[in-house]
Amino acid sequence: MVCRSPWHGRTRSVRVFRRLLAPRVLAATTFIPLLAGCGVVNASDSEDEEPIVVGTTSAPSTLDPAASWDGSWELFRNVYQTLVAFPSGAAQPEADAAECSFKGTGNRLYHCRLREDMTFSDGDALDATAVKYSIDRIRTIGVKGGPEGLLGSLDRVTTQGDRDVTFHLKKADATFPYVLATPAMSIVDPDDYPAKSVRTDREVSGSGPYTLKSYSPGDKAELVKNDSYKGFADRKNAAVTIRYFTSSSDMVAALRSKKIDVTFRGLAASDAVKLQDKKNDKDLQLVEGAGMETSYLVFNPQDPWVAKKAVRQAVAQVVDRGAIAHTVYQDTVSPLYSMVPAGLVGHTTDFFNDYGEPSAAKAAQILSKAGIHEPVPLTLWYTTDRYGSATKPEFEELKRQLEASKLFEVKLESRPWNTFEAGYRKGEYPVFGRGWFPDFPDADNFIAPFVGEENAVGTPYVSREITDELLPQSRRESDRGAVVRQFARAQQIMAEDVRLLPLWQGKQYIAASEEIAGGERALDPSTIMLMWELERKTSW
C-alpha cells in the first residue's frame, strides 16, 4: 500500500573534501513519508528477528577509514564510532564517543572528554591514545584522494590522561566539529590498524553500533549488534545485512521479490517514479525527502579549448538544466544554479542571474567576442558505475544540447569509477562529470572542496579571495547563519570563473517493504543511512 502525505512533492584553502546540506539548515534528511497516516505501528524488539536487508549501489572501496573519502562512509557510520556525530534530525554535531567543545576564544582549541570505560568490539580499551592514533595515522598514511585533506586546519592532537583529547588548530575553524563528525574520523583500534599503512584484511575493529560479522566485497556486509557499544544510537533492530548491487533495476527487482527489505543509494529516477505511482506493488512504500546530492561539470584548464573562459561561459549559456531534470530524471532532481544547494544557508542563484535562460545566440556572442568562430571540440567524460543508471542519458542530453547550438562538436567517453577517478586526478579529461554528497551540513563544504592548488576534483583552482579571505573569515564565526555575505561572494566568483558548472540537486528516496518502519529517520544530514533506525512492524 502506498499512501501520500498531503505535503508530497519532495582545500579548505589547504584541505580538500569528498562527498558528496541540510535544507532549511535543519535536516537535509527531513523525510516526508509517502505512507503517512496509513496506520499505527508497533515495532518488534526481538533479538531473534531476521536481519533487515538493505540494498544499495554504493559498495565500499575499503574498510579502513584512513583510506576512504567516498561511499564507504555508509558502512563506516554503522560499524565505527566518531567523537561527535549527527543523530537523526540534528543540525549540529552532538556527543557520541565523547563530549566536545571549543575552549577559550578564537575557535582554535577543541577539547573532547571520552565516555567512561569505552572499549572496541574486541574488548580492547578505547582511550585518548586510540583517538590520537586514529587521527594521526590519517595524516601519516596520506592516501591520495583520501580524508587527509579534511584535516587541513589541524596542527596537532594532544592527550591528557585516558579520557581527554585536545585538537590544536592552526587557525580558527568553526567547522572543525563537523569534520570530526564525518566517518573518515572513525576511531580504530591501534592494535589492529598499522600506523603507516592501510589495513587490508577485510576485518573491522571498531566501537560502533554494530560489528561486522562478515564481508564479501561487491556482494554483502553482515552487521550484528555490538554489545559493548556506548553512544547515542538507539538500535531498533538486532542485525542488518547490506547487499551491494550494480544497477537500480536489479536492486528494485530484489525488493519486489522480497530478497531485500529496503533500498537506498542508487535508486534510479525511473524506478522512483514508478514506486511513487504504484498500482501493482501495493506492499511497498516510498519515503521521499529533500536531499543535498549535487551534480556538476568540471572544466580542466589544462585543455587548450577549456582554458578559454569564453568557452566555459558559452557552455554555461547553452546548458538547459530544466530539460535534464525533466527528461532524464523525470523531476526527481531540481535544476541547480549555484554550488551551494537550495535550502542551505548561503545558497544563491548566480548562474541563473548571470546567464538566464539557455540561449545559443548569447553563447555565440560570447565566443565571437573572444575571437572563436568555429565549432569548439569538447570531450565530456563520465563514470559508468557510481552515480546511477541515468548518468549516461544525462551526458547524452548534454551532448544533444551543446551540438544543437551549432557551437560545439562533442564526444562522449566513460570509464568505471576506479579508473575514472584515477584519470581525472591525472588531469586526463577536458570536461568531466562529478557528483557530490556532502561531508557535513554547511555551505563551506560546497565551496572549499573545489578551490585551491589541491582539491577534490584534481584540477587546481586558484582563487585567493576565496581561500585567503572569504573562507577564513567564515570559519572564525561560530554562528553559521552570520556568514551569508562571505558565501554569497564566493559563489559569485565561482559563477564568473565557470571552473565548475552546477547542474542539479537531488532528492532522496528510500523504498521499502511495508513491513519496515523508520525510513523517515534513517538518514543523517550527510545522507548516510543510520541502519539502527530501521525496524520491523508488528501491527498496523
Side-chain angles (χ1 to χ4, degrees):
M1 176 170 61
V2 177
C3 303
R4 295 181 185 271
S5 161
W7 298 281
H8 169 63
R10 180 209 175 269
T11 38
R12 308 184 139 257
S13 303
V14 181
R15 95 189 176 201
V16 269
F17 293 71
R18 169 201 68 126
R19 293 174 11 114
L20 219 96
L21 231 140
R24 299 164 191 88
V25 180
L26 177 70
T29 53
T30 302
F31 274 75
I32 304 171
L34 300 189
L35 90 161
C38 293
V40 177
V41 174
N42 292 322
S44 169
D45 59 1
S46 170
E47 293 288 332
D48 298 324
E49 68 186 27
E50 287 292 313
I52 291 176
V53 184
V54 178
T56 177
T57 61
S58 184
S61 62
T62 177
L63 298 184
D64 189 335
S68 171
W69 202 357
D70 57 24
S72 306
W73 287 14
E74 201 92 57
L75 178 61
F76 293 175
R77 174 58 74 209
N78 293 278
V79 296
Y80 292 106
Q81 192 173 18
T82 47
L83 294 168
V84 293
F86 290 96
S88 179
Q92 295 182 348
E94 298 182 11
D96 192 6
E99 291 279 355
C100 302
S101 63
F102 278 107
K103 297 299 182 184
T105 59
N107 293 334
R108 294 187 60 176
L109 286 179
Y110 194 68
H111 176 263
C112 296
R113 184 166 178 80
L114 289 166
R115 295 175 186 266
E116 292 188 70
D117 302 321
M118 294 282 290
T119 64
F120 292 101
S121 56
D122 60 4
D124 289 349
L126 191 167
D127 55 15
T129 299
V131 173
K132 174 177 167 57
Y133 181 91
S134 300
I135 303 300
D136 285 348
R137 73 184 291 268
I138 293 173
R139 301 202 293 179
T140 299
I141 297 172
V143 172
K144 188 173 183 179
E148 179 190 10
L150 284 166
L151 296 170
S153 64
L154 179 63
D155 181 20
R156 67 190 189 281
V157 185
T158 59
T159 63
Q160 304 84 38
D162 291 335
R163 294 177 56 198
D164 292 284
V165 183
T166 300
F167 298 88
H168 303 257
L169 307 184
K170 301 172 186 174
K171 51 193 174 184
D173 188 357
T175 68
F176 188 72
Y178 294 80
V179 172
L180 285 185
T182 66
M185 304 300 137
S186 296
I187 308 166
V188 300
D189 189 340
D191 289 345
D192 298 326
Y193 290 77
K196 298 182 179 181
S197 62
V198 175
R199 183 176 182 179
T200 59
D201 63 1
R202 297 180 183 174
E203 299 289 335
V204 165
S205 303
S207 60
Y210 300 94
T211 60
L212 185 63
K213 179 181 177 182
S214 68
Y215 176 69
S216 177
D219 180 22
K220 65 180 179 179
E222 294 182 306
L223 281 56
V224 296
K225 186 180 289 188
N226 176 12
D227 292 332
S228 63
Y229 169 71
K230 292 183 179 181
F232 64 71
D234 178 14
R235 292 163 295 185
K236 298 177 175 64
N237 60 68
V240 172
T241 296
I242 305 173
R243 287 278 313 279
Y244 300 112
F245 294 85
T246 57
S247 73
S248 174
S249 58
D250 289 345
M251 185 167 64
V252 173
L255 178 66
R256 290 190 173 118
S257 63
K258 299 186 182 300
K259 294 179 181 178
I260 63 175
D261 301 303
V262 184
T263 75
F264 173 51
R265 191 78 71 194
L267 190 64
S270 57
D271 289 320
V273 169
K274 291 176 183 177
L275 289 165
Q276 280 179 335
D277 187 21
K278 274 300 167 208
K279 295 180 180 179
N280 298 316
D281 298 324
K282 296 182 180 180
D283 59 345
L284 298 181
Q285 56 175 304
L286 187 70
V287 179
E288 174 190 324
M292 289 293 114
E293 175 189 0
T294 62
S295 178
Y296 53 92
L297 292 178
V298 182
F299 295 98
N300 183 357
Q302 294 179 19
D303 178 82
W305 281 106
V306 174
K308 302 176 188 294
K309 186 175 181 179
V311 170
R312 306 195 300 269
Q313 291 176 324
V315 172
Q317 185 63 72
V318 168
V319 168
D320 187 341
R321 296 166 176 81
I324 294 171
H326 183 68
T327 63
V328 178
Y329 289 95
Q330 301 178 61
D331 299 315
T332 60
V333 305
S334 302
L336 181 62
Y337 297 95
S338 170
M339 290 301 292
V340 176
L344 193 63
V345 169
H347 166 74
T348 65
T349 56
D350 283 287
F351 276 92
F352 186 81
N353 298 343
D354 290 355
Y355 299 98
E357 296 294 337
S359 171
K362 290 181 179 179
Q365 291 175 359
I366 292 171
L367 292 174
S368 178
K369 187 175 180 180
I372 302 171
H373 303 289
E374 70 274 25
V376 176
L378 291 178
T379 301
L380 275 57
W381 284 81
Y382 63 92
T383 180
T384 58
D385 59 354
R386 185 169 180 83
Y387 304 121
S389 56
T391 304
K392 181 180 179 181
E394 176 184 354
F395 274 76
E396 290 172 343
E397 172 64 13
L398 284 168
K399 172 181 168 70
R400 186 198 67 77
Q401 292 179 11
L402 292 170
E403 291 191 331
S405 72
K406 308 298 184 182
L407 302 173
F408 301 94
E409 294 176 349
V410 180
K411 181 180 180 182
L412 297 182
E413 295 284 357
S414 62
R415 286 176 176 172
W417 174 254
N418 286 342
T419 52
F420 175 82
E421 181 183 27
Y424 76 67
R425 293 196 180 282
K426 294 177 183 176
E428 295 179 1
Y429 314 142
V431 186
F432 60 95
R434 275 292 312 269
W436 188 254
F437 297 98
D439 300 311
F440 52 81
D442 193 277
D444 186 293
N445 195 228
F446 291 89
I447 295 175
F450 307 105
V451 294
E453 293 287 351
E454 296 181 6
N455 57 50
V457 293
T459 57
Y461 175 17
V462 178
S463 176
R464 298 300 180 195
E465 184 177 355
I466 295 178
T467 58
D468 298 352
E469 298 178 29
L470 299 173
L471 290 175
Q473 288 172 14
S474 73
R475 290 170 186 158
R476 288 194 289 268
E477 179 57 66
S478 296
D479 179 3
R480 304 309 289 159
V483 292
V484 172
R485 180 186 64 80
Q486 288 85 351
F487 289 131
R489 174 57 184 155
Q491 290 168 88
Q492 182 181 32
I493 293 169
M494 296 177 85
E496 292 170 356
D497 292 342
V498 202
R499 285 290 307 277
L500 303 107
L501 184 66
L503 297 174
W504 53 258
Q505 172 180 344
K507 300 175 184 178
Q508 295 294 343
Y509 296 93
I510 294 177
S513 161
E514 65 173 356
E515 300 173 355
I516 301 298
E520 70 281 1
R521 304 186 306 268
L523 297 180
D524 78 358
S526 299
T527 66
I528 294 174
M529 182 170 277
L530 311 177
M531 302 296 177
W532 59 82
E533 293 287 358
L534 301 173
E535 56 188 328
R536 294 191 185 279
K537 303 169 185 175
T538 56
S539 65
W540 287 87

